[in-house]
Amino acid sequence: MLILGIETSCDETGLALYDSARGLLAHALHSQIALHAEYGGVVPELASRDHVRKTLPLLRELFRQADTPPDAVDGVAYTRGPGLIGALLVGAAIGRSLAWAWNVPALGVHHMEGHLLAPMLEPEPPNFPFVALLVSGGHSLLVRVDEVGCYHLIGESLDDAAGEAFDKTAKLLGLPYPGGPALAKLAEQGDPRRFTFPRPMTDRPGCNFSFSGLKTAALHAWRGLEPTPENQADVARAFEEAVVDTLAIKCGRALQTTELDRLVVAGGVGANRRLRERLRELAVARGGRVYYPRLEFCTDNGAMIAYAGWRRLAAGQRDDAAIEVLPRWPLDQLPAVLG
Ligand code: KG4
Ligand code: ZN
């Protein structure tokens, strides 16, 4: 079964062809970073317009890359939510129209389900059940995953998502959008002993997160300093240490309460080197393992949508012809996929 995946929920146009027998055949991505950089963040209207411009040319490139004709496609999966409504509508309209024209089924996929199944595209995928830490620009979730579609929320952020906290703190330090990777790079040169920021909510039970206070701690530290590269790096390092430590403590708790030893880490912040190292150590110490998507599939991409779409389309799920998106869509409300 050959599935076309279309991701347009935010600032990346991602397309992929996933074949159930041969695996990932091709993927193509256009990032809008340059477009939004001068505004310091994603401008939703510009994002939608750019998806309109880029999706079809990227689709042609995808078929060329895969050396496959469009009539070989057996189903279309597009991101239905959560995300920016205009951006989602572009992918949904194009996905549904292509499926209509090719006379194949189409299905709207949950963006975070895409992220959490992304490690399934790797040579050694995790077995179910596992605990998934999903850390992106819009979400910070800890989920117990029993099967595709069987998701039990263990913890979530009560305010900013981890990626959002990275981006806001980076902006405070004067770093260009998107701040997360820039802050992480700068933190490599920082002194980890100069500042210590709080580890929010680690002193109380449970697996929920709160990151907005960390951003404030960074603001207070930064306010009294000269804006030198050294000061920038030291604040960045303290912030990164605090986020990584907090996430590691909560992941440890989630593994303990579920009595599981497999941890999946996905979403843009999953590309963070220190977080990856720390969680690897944590899982190994518990006699388990941590699973990541390859770096390019930590952030938004079409491959994860094609894969998640395949799992559901192969089980007979499909949407009717209406073009509908869900900018807000709780992950634990998805139907299960058995088999
Ligand atoms: O999953 P993603 O591509 O988009 C959403 O669905 O939100 O995640 C993007 C987020 C951004 O907040 C970005 O700053 C953050 O992931 N990010 C990072 C790193 N790479 C991306 N944060 C920390 N360290 C990184 N290396
Ligand atoms: Zn994402």
Side-chain angles (χ1 to χ4, degrees):
M1 196 177 192
L2 181 65
I3 305 297
L4 167 67
I6 305 176
E7 155 62 32
T8 65
S9 68
C10 190
D11 58 350
E12 247 110 31
T13 314
L15 295 170
L17 284 168
Y18 180 81
D19 183 273
S20 53
R22 292 182 290 164
L24 189 65
L25 299 190
H27 67 99
L29 188 87
H30 171 74
S31 165
Q32 301 179 353
I33 285 179
L35 179 70
H36 300 293
E38 65 174 297
Y39 303 97
V42 178
V43 183
E45 177 59 23
L46 294 184
S48 313
R49 291 185 198 185
D50 204 54
H51 289 306
V52 171
R53 271 194 297 268
K54 297 292 169 18
T55 306
L56 290 179
L58 214 54
L59 187 69
R60 284 189 202 103
E61 187 192 314
L62 183 78
F63 282 116
R64 254 198 313 273
Q65 240 188 70
D67 199 16
T68 303
D71 62 10
V73 171
D74 299 303
V76 178
Y78 54 89
T79 305
R80 190 180 188 195
L84 302 171
I85 187 163
L88 289 167
L89 275 168
V90 177
I94 293 176
R96 283 248 42 119
S97 308
L98 289 171
W100 181 267
W102 295 336
N103 197 24
V104 296
L107 186 76
V109 168
H110 193 293
H111 181 80
M112 298 312 286
E113 178 172 67
H115 274 306
L116 87 78
L117 296 180
M120 298 296 182
L121 291 162
E122 300 308 316
E124 290 179 45
N127 289 324
F128 297 106
F130 54 77
V131 168
L133 172 71
L134 300 177
V135 271
S136 71
H139 296 84
S140 296
L141 305 172
L142 265 166
V143 186
R144 181 195 160 106
V145 179
D146 287 312
E147 242 310 328
V148 179
C150 289
Y151 309 129
H152 305 278
L153 197 63
I154 307 172
E156 64 185 327
S157 177
L158 304 180
D159 41 58
D160 293 352
E164 189 180 358
F166 263 98
D167 293 341
K168 286 178 175 171
T169 304
K171 203 169 185 176
L172 172 87
L173 296 176
L175 302 177
Y177 160 87
L183 187 148
K185 192 157 191 299
L186 197 67
E188 282 171 22
Q189 280 110 53
D191 175 358
R193 287 170 303 273
R194 178 146 170 228
F195 301 105
T196 305
F197 294 160
R199 272 57 175 159
M201 295 184 66
T202 51
D203 56 350
R204 52 184 111 150
C207 292
N208 285 336
F209 311 103
S210 162
F211 291 113
S212 70
L214 262 184
K215 184 184 63 194
T216 314
L219 174 70
H220 286 309
W222 179 243
R223 250 191 203 148
L225 300 173
E226 291 287 316
T228 62
E230 193 187 331
N231 287 336
Q232 251 184 341
D234 291 347
V235 174
R237 181 63 185 262
F239 172 82
E240 185 183 57
E241 289 283 328
V243 175
V244 168
D245 210 27
T246 304
L247 290 173
I249 291 168
K250 299 288 177 170
C251 283
R253 247 180 232 179
L255 291 172
Q256 200 163 1
T257 48
T258 54
E259 296 182 4
L260 294 174
D261 60 11
R262 283 184 293 273
L263 178 66
V264 158
V265 183
V269 183
N272 184 279
R273 276 235 313 263
R274 294 194 67 79
L275 180 68
R276 290 168 88 94
E277 275 166 28
R278 186 66 196 280
L279 295 180
R280 186 172 296 121
E281 286 163 17
L282 175 93
V284 169
R286 294 183 55 86
R289 239 196 93 173
V290 66
Y291 298 83
Y292 297 102
R294 70 196 80 165
L295 273 180
E296 63 179 332
F297 292 165
C298 276
T299 44
D300 292 349
N301 64 86
M304 66 185 196
I305 301 304
Y307 180 84
W310 165 62
R311 294 296 301 249
R312 290 184 175 277
L313 285 160
Q317 295 182 20
R318 48 262 288 115
D319 286 343
D320 61 24
I323 295 168
E324 273 175 352
V325 296
L326 294 169
R328 289 179 178 275
W329 188 6
L331 182 65
D332 49 7
Q333 284 179 9
L334 295 181
V337 179
L338 300 170

Short mmCIF file of all heavy atoms in Angstrom, two decimals, residues 71-133:
data_model
loop_
_atom_site.label_atom_id
_atom_site.label_comp_id
_atom_site.label_asym_id
_atom_site.label_seq_id
_atom_site.Cartn_x
_atom_site.Cartn_y
_atom_site.Cartn_z
N ASP A 71 -0.38 7.64 -10.11
CA ASP A 71 -1.47 6.65 -10.06
C ASP A 71 -1.10 5.39 -9.28
O ASP A 71 -1.91 4.49 -9.12
CB ASP A 71 -2.03 6.34 -11.45
CG ASP A 71 -1.00 5.73 -12.38
OD1 ASP A 71 0.10 5.37 -11.89
OD2 ASP A 71 -1.29 5.61 -13.59
N ALA A 72 0.15 5.33 -8.76
CA ALA A 72 0.51 4.19 -7.90
C ALA A 72 0.04 4.41 -6.45
O ALA A 72 0.05 3.49 -5.64
CB ALA A 72 2.02 3.99 -7.92
N VAL A 73 -0.39 5.64 -6.13
CA VAL A 73 -0.78 5.97 -4.75
C VAL A 73 -2.11 5.28 -4.39
O VAL A 73 -3.06 5.31 -5.16
CB VAL A 73 -0.90 7.51 -4.59
CG1 VAL A 73 -1.52 7.88 -3.24
CG2 VAL A 73 0.48 8.16 -4.72
N ASP A 74 -2.12 4.65 -3.20
CA ASP A 74 -3.34 3.94 -2.74
C ASP A 74 -4.14 4.73 -1.71
O ASP A 74 -5.24 4.32 -1.34
CB ASP A 74 -2.94 2.60 -2.11
CG ASP A 74 -2.24 1.70 -3.11
OD1 ASP A 74 -2.83 1.42 -4.16
OD2 ASP A 74 -1.08 1.30 -2.84
N GLY A 75 -3.55 5.79 -1.17
CA GLY A 75 -4.28 6.56 -0.15
C GLY A 75 -3.52 7.84 0.17
O GLY A 75 -2.30 7.91 -0.03
N VAL A 76 -4.26 8.84 0.65
CA VAL A 76 -3.64 10.13 0.98
C VAL A 76 -3.89 10.44 2.46
O VAL A 76 -5.02 10.34 2.94
CB VAL A 76 -4.23 11.27 0.11
CG1 VAL A 76 -3.62 12.61 0.49
CG2 VAL A 76 -4.03 10.98 -1.38
N ALA A 77 -2.83 10.79 3.17
CA ALA A 77 -2.95 11.19 4.57
C ALA A 77 -2.46 12.63 4.69
O ALA A 77 -1.41 12.98 4.16
CB ALA A 77 -2.09 10.29 5.45
N TYR A 78 -3.23 13.46 5.35
CA TYR A 78 -2.83 14.86 5.55
C TYR A 78 -3.03 15.20 7.02
O TYR A 78 -3.80 14.55 7.72
CB TYR A 78 -3.67 15.80 4.66
CG TYR A 78 -5.15 15.62 4.86
CD1 TYR A 78 -5.85 16.34 5.83
CD2 TYR A 78 -5.86 14.67 4.12
CE1 TYR A 78 -7.20 16.14 6.05
CE2 TYR A 78 -7.21 14.46 4.33
CZ TYR A 78 -7.88 15.19 5.30
OH TYR A 78 -9.21 14.97 5.53
N THR A 79 -2.34 16.21 7.51
CA THR A 79 -2.48 16.61 8.92
C THR A 79 -3.80 17.36 9.09
O THR A 79 -4.03 18.38 8.45
CB THR A 79 -1.31 17.50 9.35
OG1 THR A 79 -0.10 16.80 9.07
CG2 THR A 79 -1.38 17.81 10.84
N ARG A 80 -4.64 16.83 9.96
CA ARG A 80 -5.96 17.44 10.18
C ARG A 80 -5.93 18.40 11.38
O ARG A 80 -6.81 19.23 11.56
CB ARG A 80 -6.96 16.31 10.44
CG ARG A 80 -8.37 16.76 10.46
CD ARG A 80 -9.29 15.60 10.73
NE ARG A 80 -10.66 16.01 10.57
CZ ARG A 80 -11.69 15.30 11.02
NH1 ARG A 80 -11.48 14.16 11.62
NH2 ARG A 80 -12.90 15.74 10.84
N GLY A 81 -4.96 18.24 12.24
CA GLY A 81 -4.84 19.09 13.43
C GLY A 81 -3.91 18.40 14.41
O GLY A 81 -3.48 17.29 14.13
N PRO A 82 -3.58 19.00 15.54
CA PRO A 82 -3.77 20.41 15.82
C PRO A 82 -2.78 21.27 15.06
O PRO A 82 -1.77 20.75 14.57
CB PRO A 82 -3.53 20.49 17.34
CG PRO A 82 -2.75 19.28 17.70
CD PRO A 82 -2.98 18.26 16.64
N GLY A 83 -3.06 22.57 14.96
CA GLY A 83 -2.17 23.46 14.23
C GLY A 83 -2.88 24.75 13.87
O GLY A 83 -3.96 25.04 14.39
N LEU A 84 -2.28 25.50 12.95
CA LEU A 84 -2.86 26.78 12.50
C LEU A 84 -3.96 26.48 11.50
O LEU A 84 -3.75 25.74 10.53
CB LEU A 84 -1.77 27.63 11.82
CG LEU A 84 -0.55 27.96 12.67
CD1 LEU A 84 0.53 28.60 11.82
CD2 LEU A 84 -0.95 28.88 13.83
N ILE A 85 -5.13 27.07 11.69
CA ILE A 85 -6.29 26.67 10.89
C ILE A 85 -6.08 26.88 9.38
O ILE A 85 -6.39 25.99 8.58
CB ILE A 85 -7.59 27.34 11.40
CG1 ILE A 85 -8.80 26.76 10.66
CG2 ILE A 85 -7.55 28.85 11.29
CD1 ILE A 85 -10.12 27.03 11.35
N GLY A 86 -5.55 28.02 9.00
CA GLY A 86 -5.36 28.29 7.58
C GLY A 86 -4.35 27.34 6.96
O GLY A 86 -4.55 26.81 5.85
N ALA A 87 -3.28 27.10 7.69
CA ALA A 87 -2.22 26.21 7.20
C ALA A 87 -2.75 24.78 7.06
O ALA A 87 -2.52 24.10 6.06
CB ALA A 87 -1.04 26.25 8.17
N LEU A 88 -3.52 24.34 8.06
CA LEU A 88 -4.11 23.00 8.01
C LEU A 88 -5.05 22.87 6.82
O LEU A 88 -5.07 21.84 6.12
CB LEU A 88 -4.91 22.72 9.29
CG LEU A 88 -4.10 22.50 10.57
CD1 LEU A 88 -5.02 22.56 11.79
CD2 LEU A 88 -3.37 21.16 10.54
N LEU A 89 -5.83 23.93 6.57
CA LEU A 89 -6.82 23.87 5.48
C LEU A 89 -6.15 23.68 4.11
O LEU A 89 -6.72 23.03 3.24
CB LEU A 89 -7.69 25.14 5.48
CG LEU A 89 -8.88 25.06 6.43
CD1 LEU A 89 -9.51 26.44 6.62
CD2 LEU A 89 -9.94 24.06 5.94
N VAL A 90 -4.96 24.23 3.96
CA VAL A 90 -4.26 24.07 2.68
C VAL A 90 -3.96 22.60 2.43
O VAL A 90 -4.30 22.03 1.38
CB VAL A 90 -2.96 24.90 2.63
CG1 VAL A 90 -2.23 24.67 1.31
CG2 VAL A 90 -3.25 26.39 2.82
N GLY A 91 -3.36 21.94 3.42
CA GLY A 91 -3.00 20.52 3.27
C GLY A 91 -4.24 19.65 3.12
O GLY A 91 -4.26 18.71 2.32
N ALA A 92 -5.28 19.98 3.91
CA ALA A 92 -6.51 19.18 3.86
C ALA A 92 -7.18 19.32 2.49
O ALA A 92 -7.62 18.33 1.90
CB ALA A 92 -7.46 19.62 4.97
N ALA A 93 -7.24 20.55 1.97
CA ALA A 93 -7.90 20.78 0.68
C ALA A 93 -7.12 20.08 -0.44
O ALA A 93 -7.71 19.41 -1.30
CB ALA A 93 -8.01 22.28 0.41
N ILE A 94 -5.80 20.21 -0.41
CA ILE A 94 -4.99 19.57 -1.46
C ILE A 94 -5.07 18.05 -1.33
O ILE A 94 -5.26 17.33 -2.32
CB ILE A 94 -3.53 20.09 -1.42
CG1 ILE A 94 -3.51 21.56 -1.82
CG2 ILE A 94 -2.63 19.26 -2.33
CD1 ILE A 94 -2.15 22.24 -1.73
N GLY A 95 -4.95 17.55 -0.11
CA GLY A 95 -4.99 16.10 0.12
C GLY A 95 -6.30 15.49 -0.32
O GLY A 95 -6.34 14.48 -1.03
N ARG A 96 -7.41 16.13 0.07
CA ARG A 96 -8.74 15.62 -0.28
C ARG A 96 -8.96 15.69 -1.79
O ARG A 96 -9.53 14.77 -2.40
CB ARG A 96 -9.82 16.43 0.42
CG ARG A 96 -9.98 16.07 1.88
CD ARG A 96 -11.31 15.39 2.16
NE ARG A 96 -11.65 14.42 1.15
CZ ARG A 96 -11.82 13.13 1.36
NH1 ARG A 96 -11.68 12.64 2.56
NH2 ARG A 96 -12.14 12.32 0.39
N SER A 97 -8.51 16.77 -2.41
CA SER A 97 -8.72 16.94 -3.84
C SER A 97 -7.93 15.89 -4.63
O SER A 97 -8.44 15.31 -5.59
CB SER A 97 -8.31 18.34 -4.30
OG SER A 97 -8.93 19.29 -3.50
N LEU A 98 -6.69 15.66 -4.21
CA LEU A 98 -5.88 14.64 -4.90
C LEU A 98 -6.54 13.27 -4.75
O LEU A 98 -6.64 12.50 -5.72
CB LEU A 98 -4.46 14.60 -4.33
CG LEU A 98 -3.56 15.80 -4.66
CD1 LEU A 98 -2.27 15.74 -3.87
CD2 LEU A 98 -3.26 15.86 -6.16
N ALA A 99 -7.01 12.96 -3.54
CA ALA A 99 -7.64 11.66 -3.30
C ALA A 99 -8.90 11.52 -4.17
O ALA A 99 -9.17 10.45 -4.73
CB ALA A 99 -8.00 11.52 -1.82
N TRP A 100 -9.62 12.61 -4.30
CA TRP A 100 -10.84 12.62 -5.13
C TRP A 100 -10.46 12.35 -6.59
O TRP A 100 -11.04 11.50 -7.27
CB TRP A 100 -11.52 13.99 -4.99
CG TRP A 100 -12.79 14.14 -5.77
CD1 TRP A 100 -12.93 14.64 -7.02
CD2 TRP A 100 -14.10 13.77 -5.34
NE1 TRP A 100 -14.23 14.62 -7.40
CE2 TRP A 100 -14.98 14.09 -6.39
CE3 TRP A 100 -14.62 13.20 -4.16
CZ2 TRP A 100 -16.35 13.86 -6.31
CZ3 TRP A 100 -15.98 12.98 -4.08
CH2 TRP A 100 -16.84 13.30 -5.14
N ALA A 101 -9.44 13.08 -7.06
CA ALA A 101 -9.01 12.94 -8.46
C ALA A 101 -8.45 11.55 -8.74
O ALA A 101 -8.66 11.00 -9.82
CB ALA A 101 -7.96 14.00 -8.78
N TRP A 102 -7.73 11.00 -7.78
CA TRP A 102 -7.10 9.68 -7.99
C TRP A 102 -8.04 8.53 -7.60
O TRP A 102 -7.67 7.36 -7.72
CB TRP A 102 -5.82 9.56 -7.16
CG TRP A 102 -4.73 10.50 -7.56
CD1 TRP A 102 -4.57 11.09 -8.79
CD2 TRP A 102 -3.63 10.97 -6.75
NE1 TRP A 102 -3.45 11.90 -8.78
CE2 TRP A 102 -2.85 11.83 -7.55
CE3 TRP A 102 -3.24 10.75 -5.43
CZ2 TRP A 102 -1.70 12.47 -7.08
CZ3 TRP A 102 -2.09 11.37 -4.95
CH2 TRP A 102 -1.33 12.23 -5.77
N ASN A 103 -9.19 8.89 -7.04
CA ASN A 103 -10.16 7.89 -6.60
C ASN A 103 -9.59 6.91 -5.57
O ASN A 103 -9.71 5.69 -5.70
CB ASN A 103 -10.71 7.14 -7.83
CG ASN A 103 -11.99 6.41 -7.51
OD1 ASN A 103 -12.70 6.79 -6.57
ND2 ASN A 103 -12.28 5.36 -8.25
N VAL A 104 -8.93 7.49 -4.57
CA VAL A 104 -8.38 6.68 -3.46
C VAL A 104 -8.87 7.27 -2.14
O VAL A 104 -9.30 8.43 -2.11
CB VAL A 104 -6.82 6.65 -3.49
CG1 VAL A 104 -6.29 5.98 -4.75
CG2 VAL A 104 -6.24 8.05 -3.32
N PRO A 105 -8.84 6.50 -1.05
CA PRO A 105 -9.29 7.05 0.23
C PRO A 105 -8.33 8.10 0.80
O PRO A 105 -7.14 8.08 0.49
CB PRO A 105 -9.36 5.83 1.15
CG PRO A 105 -8.47 4.82 0.53
CD PRO A 105 -8.47 5.08 -0.95
N ALA A 106 -8.88 8.97 1.63
CA ALA A 106 -8.06 9.99 2.30
C ALA A 106 -8.38 9.99 3.79
O ALA A 106 -9.48 9.62 4.20
CB ALA A 106 -8.34 11.36 1.71
N LEU A 107 -7.40 10.38 4.58
CA LEU A 107 -7.60 10.41 6.03
C LEU A 107 -6.83 11.58 6.65
O LEU A 107 -5.66 11.80 6.31
CB LEU A 107 -7.11 9.09 6.64
CG LEU A 107 -7.41 8.94 8.13
CD1 LEU A 107 -8.88 8.60 8.35
CD2 LEU A 107 -6.55 7.86 8.75
N GLY A 108 -7.49 12.28 7.56
CA GLY A 108 -6.83 13.35 8.31
C GLY A 108 -6.12 12.76 9.52
O GLY A 108 -6.71 12.00 10.29
N VAL A 109 -4.84 13.10 9.69
CA VAL A 109 -4.01 12.50 10.74
C VAL A 109 -3.77 13.53 11.85
O VAL A 109 -3.68 14.73 11.60
CB VAL A 109 -2.67 12.04 10.12
CG1 VAL A 109 -1.64 11.68 11.17
CG2 VAL A 109 -2.90 10.87 9.17
N HIS A 110 -3.66 13.03 13.09
CA HIS A 110 -3.31 13.88 14.23
C HIS A 110 -1.80 14.14 14.20
O HIS A 110 -1.01 13.19 14.20
CB HIS A 110 -3.71 13.16 15.53
CG HIS A 110 -3.70 14.05 16.74
ND1 HIS A 110 -2.55 14.58 17.26
CD2 HIS A 110 -4.71 14.51 17.51
CE1 HIS A 110 -2.85 15.32 18.31
NE2 HIS A 110 -4.15 15.30 18.48
N HIS A 111 -1.44 15.44 14.19
CA HIS A 111 -0.03 15.80 14.08
C HIS A 111 0.84 15.15 15.16
O HIS A 111 1.94 14.66 14.87
CB HIS A 111 0.07 17.34 14.16
CG HIS A 111 1.44 17.88 14.05
ND1 HIS A 111 2.07 18.05 12.84
CD2 HIS A 111 2.32 18.29 14.99
CE1 HIS A 111 3.28 18.55 13.05
NE2 HIS A 111 3.46 18.71 14.35
N MET A 112 0.33 15.12 16.41
CA MET A 112 1.15 14.56 17.49
C MET A 112 1.24 13.04 17.40
O MET A 112 2.22 12.45 17.84
CB MET A 112 0.62 15.00 18.86
CG MET A 112 0.62 16.50 19.09
SD MET A 112 2.18 17.32 18.67
CE MET A 112 3.22 16.80 20.02
N GLU A 113 0.22 12.40 16.85
CA GLU A 113 0.34 10.96 16.60
C GLU A 113 1.44 10.71 15.57
O GLU A 113 2.22 9.75 15.69
CB GLU A 113 -0.98 10.37 16.09
CG GLU A 113 -0.86 8.89 15.78
CD GLU A 113 -2.20 8.22 15.46
OE1 GLU A 113 -2.79 8.54 14.42
OE2 GLU A 113 -2.64 7.37 16.26
N GLY A 114 1.50 11.59 14.58
CA GLY A 114 2.59 11.51 13.61
C GLY A 114 3.94 11.55 14.32
O GLY A 114 4.79 10.68 14.14
N HIS A 115 4.12 12.57 15.19
CA HIS A 115 5.39 12.70 15.92
C HIS A 115 5.68 11.44 16.73
O HIS A 115 6.80 10.93 16.74
CB HIS A 115 5.35 13.89 16.88
CG HIS A 115 5.73 15.20 16.26
ND1 HIS A 115 6.90 15.38 15.57
CD2 HIS A 115 5.08 16.40 16.23
CE1 HIS A 115 6.98 16.64 15.15
NE2 HIS A 115 5.89 17.28 15.53
N LEU A 116 4.66 10.94 17.43
CA LEU A 116 4.97 9.83 18.35
C LEU A 116 5.22 8.51 17.64
O LEU A 116 5.85 7.61 18.18
CB LEU A 116 3.96 9.75 19.49
CG LEU A 116 2.66 9.02 19.50
CD1 LEU A 116 2.88 7.55 19.70
CD2 LEU A 116 1.85 9.55 20.66
N LEU A 117 4.74 8.40 16.39
CA LEU A 117 5.02 7.17 15.63
C LEU A 117 6.27 7.31 14.74
O LEU A 117 6.69 6.34 14.12
CB LEU A 117 3.81 6.78 14.77
CG LEU A 117 2.53 6.40 15.54
CD1 LEU A 117 1.40 6.05 14.58
CD2 LEU A 117 2.80 5.23 16.49
N ALA A 118 6.86 8.51 14.70
CA ALA A 118 8.02 8.73 13.83
C ALA A 118 9.17 7.74 14.07
O ALA A 118 9.83 7.32 13.11
CB ALA A 118 8.52 10.18 13.96
N PRO A 119 9.44 7.29 15.32
CA PRO A 119 10.54 6.32 15.51
C PRO A 119 10.26 4.97 14.82
O PRO A 119 11.17 4.17 14.64
CB PRO A 119 10.61 6.14 17.03
CG PRO A 119 9.95 7.34 17.60
CD PRO A 119 8.89 7.75 16.62
N MET A 120 9.01 4.75 14.41
CA MET A 120 8.68 3.51 13.70
C MET A 120 9.32 3.47 12.31
O MET A 120 9.35 2.42 11.67
CB MET A 120 7.15 3.38 13.53
CG MET A 120 6.41 3.30 14.83
SD MET A 120 6.88 1.80 15.71
CE MET A 120 5.85 1.93 17.15
N LEU A 121 9.79 4.62 11.84
CA LEU A 121 10.43 4.67 10.52
C LEU A 121 11.91 4.27 10.59
O LEU A 121 12.58 4.19 9.58
CB LEU A 121 10.32 6.08 9.93
CG LEU A 121 8.90 6.53 9.54
CD1 LEU A 121 8.82 8.05 9.41
CD2 LEU A 121 8.47 5.87 8.24
N GLU A 122 12.41 4.06 11.81
CA GLU A 122 13.84 3.74 11.99
C GLU A 122 14.07 2.23 11.91
O GLU A 122 13.13 1.45 12.06
CB GLU A 122 14.32 4.30 13.33
CG GLU A 122 14.18 5.81 13.45
CD GLU A 122 14.81 6.56 12.26
OE1 GLU A 122 15.92 6.21 11.85
OE2 GLU A 122 14.15 7.47 11.73
N PRO A 123 15.32 1.83 11.69
CA PRO A 123 15.61 0.40 11.53
C PRO A 123 15.25 -0.46 12.75
O PRO A 123 14.88 -1.61 12.60
CB PRO A 123 17.13 0.36 11.30
CG PRO A 123 17.51 1.73 10.92
CD PRO A 123 16.50 2.68 11.48
N GLU A 124 15.37 0.11 13.97
CA GLU A 124 14.99 -0.66 15.16
C GLU A 124 13.85 0.05 15.88
O GLU A 124 14.07 0.77 16.85
CB GLU A 124 16.17 -0.80 16.11
CG GLU A 124 17.25 -1.71 15.57
CD GLU A 124 18.42 -1.81 16.54
OE1 GLU A 124 18.20 -1.97 17.75
OE2 GLU A 124 19.55 -1.66 16.06
N PRO A 125 12.62 -0.15 15.42
CA PRO A 125 11.50 0.56 16.04
C PRO A 125 11.16 -0.02 17.41
O PRO A 125 11.44 -1.19 17.68
CB PRO A 125 10.34 0.33 15.06
CG PRO A 125 10.71 -0.91 14.33
CD PRO A 125 12.19 -1.01 14.31
N PRO A 126 10.56 0.79 18.28
CA PRO A 126 10.18 0.27 19.61
C PRO A 126 8.97 -0.66 19.52
O PRO A 126 8.13 -0.49 18.64
CB PRO A 126 9.79 1.54 20.38
CG PRO A 126 9.38 2.52 19.32
CD PRO A 126 10.19 2.21 18.11
N ASN A 127 8.91 -1.62 20.44
CA ASN A 127 7.69 -2.44 20.57
C ASN A 127 6.73 -1.72 21.50
O ASN A 127 7.15 -0.97 22.38
CB ASN A 127 8.03 -3.80 21.17
CG ASN A 127 8.80 -4.66 20.19
OD1 ASN A 127 8.55 -4.62 18.99
ND2 ASN A 127 9.77 -5.41 20.69
N PHE A 128 5.44 -2.00 21.35
CA PHE A 128 4.45 -1.49 22.30
C PHE A 128 4.48 -2.40 23.53
O PHE A 128 4.80 -3.57 23.40
CB PHE A 128 3.05 -1.53 21.67
CG PHE A 128 2.92 -0.65 20.47
CD1 PHE A 128 2.87 -1.19 19.18
CD2 PHE A 128 2.84 0.73 20.60
CE1 PHE A 128 2.75 -0.39 18.07
CE2 PHE A 128 2.73 1.55 19.47
CZ PHE A 128 2.67 0.98 18.21
N PRO A 129 4.11 -1.94 24.72
CA PRO A 129 3.81 -0.54 25.04
C PRO A 129 5.07 0.25 25.34
O PRO A 129 6.11 -0.32 25.63
CB PRO A 129 2.94 -0.69 26.30
CG PRO A 129 3.46 -1.91 26.97
CD PRO A 129 3.92 -2.83 25.87
N PHE A 130 4.97 1.57 25.28
CA PHE A 130 6.08 2.43 25.67
C PHE A 130 5.56 3.76 26.21
O PHE A 130 4.36 4.05 26.08
CB PHE A 130 7.06 2.66 24.50
CG PHE A 130 6.45 3.18 23.23
CD1 PHE A 130 6.10 4.52 23.09
CD2 PHE A 130 6.26 2.33 22.14
CE1 PHE A 130 5.56 4.99 21.90
CE2 PHE A 130 5.72 2.81 20.94
CZ PHE A 130 5.38 4.13 20.82
N VAL A 131 6.46 4.51 26.83
CA VAL A 131 6.13 5.87 27.25
C VAL A 131 6.68 6.82 26.20
O VAL A 131 7.81 6.64 25.74
CB VAL A 131 6.74 6.20 28.63
CG1 VAL A 131 6.64 7.69 28.95
CG2 VAL A 131 6.07 5.39 29.73
N ALA A 132 5.88 7.79 25.77
CA ALA A 132 6.36 8.77 24.78
C ALA A 132 6.41 10.16 25.40
O ALA A 132 5.44 10.60 26.02
CB ALA A 132 5.45 8.79 23.56
N LEU A 133 7.56 10.82 25.24
CA LEU A 133 7.68 12.23 25.60
C LEU A 133 7.58 13.01 24.30
O LEU A 133 8.43 12.87 23.42
CB LEU A 133 9.03 12.50 26.27
CG LEU A 133 9.33 13.99 26.52
CD1 LEU A 133 8.45 14.57 27.61
CD2 LEU A 133 10.81 14.21 26.86
#
